[in-house]
Amino acid sequence: MPFSLTAVKIGVATRPARPRRISILGATGSIGESTLDLIGRDPPAYRVVALTGGQNVARLAELAILHRAELAVIADPSRYADLHTALAGTGIEAGAGHEALLDAASRPADWVMAAIVGAAGLKPTLQAVRQGTSTALANKECLVSAGAIFMAEVARANTILLPVDSEHSAAMQIMAGAPKERIERICLTASGGPFRGWSREQMAEARPEQALNHPNWSMGPKVTIDSATLMNKGLELLEAHHLFSLAPSQLDVITHPQSIVHCLVYLSDGAVLAQMSCPDMRTPIAYSLAWPERMHVPTKRLDLAEIGALTFEAPDMERFPALRVAKEVLAAGGSAGTVLNAANEVAVEAFLAKRIGFLAIAALVETALEKSDDLAKLSPQNVDDVLAIDSETRLRATALLGRFA
Ligand code: NDP
């Protein structure tokens, strides 16, 4: 039977005969730490193979020692000596640089968490997919940037891809109980971020520390800024399009400030199925870790009486144009997603470095898209072609920064 995200029977997690071998790409980040929190609660059940980080040597070494990893890899090659020193005498192998990241992703494992942020995660994640390792995908940029190529690799390797984004995890959980041909559309919920009630004039003055202050979720800086602009929800539409093979017309977004309902699935008999939980990423991570079973997770339990009301509203695409831009990219197809993602990464980094204002993020991305029509029309044949488009877009977007400063 061909791989299907929805054709799955769910059971209760039982202790496997041997510890499950797991690796975490992006272990030092928010998703990486939450994953290790779950794994650390039942050490005999897991064997940690490889942990990777980007820059944070001290935390990577700490985590590798705490979880008795076989290998720790830091992406920045200039930090190898520090990592080597920090791990001296522990028996943990140290590595650094791009090839070492690919090696970490290639080490035989039963399950890998792909939680590097941005297009930097594309090659390591694909490397894990190619080994046939069940892959929990937090790195949405992989699918935004290289969706068709990525999903073709998943099919070729006949591996399992488990979405970690709470909305896509929710969709997968709901769709497991409904035939695909009876799904009319799915609607992802958006919290609205910290500026949901702000005017454009107020947002023009927004500082990074305000944008990083998400009302419901504790996440890494890039995804938190994406949530504030609503670009995150746009990226998630592209992610859902590739993950579930749904047409753009079947995908929608609704603002739901409480972040309790994560996704709504509309069926052809008029029923609408929703998945709910308190906003804690350990729930969707646990779903991907225990899949196709269920495990115990010590999160706050949902008390609807305590919350009182769940509210919903249409997203305001005039105040938050990033969502409109991403929807246009979804409709355009081709390599527009690669351009969108790369330009957005440049813009978010520039905002965090206080080189551009908050409203300039979406404006810069839109301008970069207008100026990259030639790139967006290209048909990449492989991941190197995608990364070439990504690099060229970054050059063009960086050249635009002065105009938006
Ligand atoms: P963080 O910024 O907290 O962590 C990112 C991880 O990637 C860190 O381990 C970081 O290392 C590493 N990293 C950064 N740059 C590179 C690089 N060039 N090469 C290799 N590794 C690198 O991000 P999050 O954990 O928040 O997010 C990770 C992914 O999951 C993102 O794609 C995000 O959109 C997605 N996601 C996150 C959610 C969340 O709740 N956090 C929710 C849903 C999706 P270091 O810190 O050592 O530099």
Side-chain angles (χ1 to χ4, degrees):
M1 193 179 75
F3 169 70
S4 161
L5 276 175
T6 56
V8 179
K9 195 170 176 301
I10 307 290
V12 176
T14 47
R15 187 170 292 280
R18 63 168 176 87
R20 288 179 74 205
R21 292 173 61 80
I22 70 117
S23 290
I24 303 177
L25 310 175
T28 51
S30 164
I31 292 286
E33 294 264 8
S34 293
T35 308
L36 285 168
D37 174 82
L38 295 174
I39 282 160
R41 288 167 192 275
D42 191 4
Y46 305 100
R47 180 86 189 93
V48 176
V49 179
L51 298 181
T52 80
Q55 305 274 331
N56 193 345
V57 166
R59 188 61 185 149
L60 177 63
E62 234 169 59
L63 291 170
I65 293 165
L66 183 66
H67 295 279
R68 299 195 175 89
E70 293 171 12
L71 168 69
V73 171
I74 196 81
D76 181 348
S78 72
R79 298 184 187 228
Y80 175 73
D82 292 344
L83 182 63
H84 190 259
T85 306
L87 294 176
T90 63
I92 300 167
E93 202 181 329
H98 182 67
E99 290 305 317
L101 270 185
L102 298 183
D103 175 36
S106 305
R107 296 278 170 113
D110 300 308
W111 184 91
V112 64
M113 167 57 79
I116 293 174
V117 62
L122 184 52
K123 279 201 162 178
T125 305
L126 269 180
Q127 191 72 12
V129 164
R130 287 179 187 138
Q131 309 309 309
T133 313
S134 293
T135 302
L137 186 73
N139 180 312
K140 64 192 84 183
E141 293 92 347
C142 281
L143 289 178
V144 175
S145 189
I149 286 168
F150 191 95
M151 292 308 287
E153 292 266 10
V154 170
R156 196 171 304 127
N158 197 24
T159 192
I160 305 291
L161 187 67
L162 300 153
V164 170
D165 237 329
S166 56
E167 299 78 0
H168 305 72
S169 171
M172 181 179 169
Q173 293 174 52
I174 298 168
M175 287 157 80
K180 170 112 193 311
E181 54 278 14
R182 292 291 172 235
I183 292 166
E184 284 186 343
R185 67 187 182 98
I186 75 171
C187 189
L188 311 176
T189 58
S191 69
F195 304 145
R196 185 171 60 88
W198 287 35
S199 67
R200 295 275 294 169
E201 291 70 30
Q202 287 172 307
M203 282 190 265
E205 305 299 324
R207 295 187 305 277
E209 51 276 25
Q210 293 171 303
L212 286 170
N213 188 21
H214 197 282
N216 304 340
W217 297 97
S218 163
M219 311 182 283
K222 197 266 179 176
V223 62
T224 307
I225 301 302
D226 286 343
S227 297
T229 57
L230 288 204
M231 180 63 86
N232 184 47
K233 223 37 65 176
L235 302 181
E236 289 179 3
L237 288 174
L238 283 137
E239 182 185 8
H241 165 64
H242 290 293
L243 269 175
F244 304 121
S245 300
L246 292 171
S249 60
Q250 292 177 288
L251 294 164
D252 213 345
V253 171
I254 190 163
T255 302
H256 166 48
Q258 297 81 20
S259 296
I260 297 296
V261 175
H262 303 298
C263 182
L264 299 156
V265 176
Y266 289 73
L267 302 178
S268 60
D269 58 4
V272 182
L273 305 183
Q275 189 265 2
M276 294 188 270
S277 67
C278 291
D280 185 326
M281 283 307 293
R282 289 177 301 171
T283 294
I285 293 170
Y287 182 72
S288 75
L289 184 60
W291 185 92
E293 300 178 324
R294 290 275 188 174
M295 63 191 280
H296 172 78
V297 188
T299 52
K300 181 175 178 347
R301 293 325 193 220
L302 182 59
D303 183 342
L304 286 173
E306 183 193 338
I307 294 167
L310 299 179
T311 59
F312 301 88
E313 62 202 38
D316 183 341
M317 287 195 272
E318 288 191 5
R319 277 187 305 129
F320 296 97
L323 181 56
R324 170 185 53 77
V325 172
K327 280 189 159 194
E328 288 165 7
V329 164
L330 176 66
S335 293
T338 315
V339 175
L340 174 85
N341 183 66
N344 184 54
E345 287 193 31
V346 169
V348 170
E349 206 179 303
F351 171 67
L352 286 170
K354 301 191 174 166
R355 293 185 63 193
I356 62 172
F358 181 75
L359 293 182
I361 300 175
L364 189 144
V365 171
E366 189 161 21
T367 308
L369 277 159
E370 283 161 14
K371 293 199 173 299
S372 303
D373 210 31
D374 55 331
L375 300 178
K377 289 203 172 87
L378 293 173
S379 304
Q381 300 301 306
N382 53 47
V383 71
D384 287 321
D385 292 349
V386 170
L387 290 174
I389 297 171
D390 174 282
S391 297
E392 177 58 26
T393 306
R394 281 171 202 265
L395 289 177
R396 295 184 191 183
T398 304
L400 287 170
L401 285 175
R403 193 196 293 186
F404 290 94

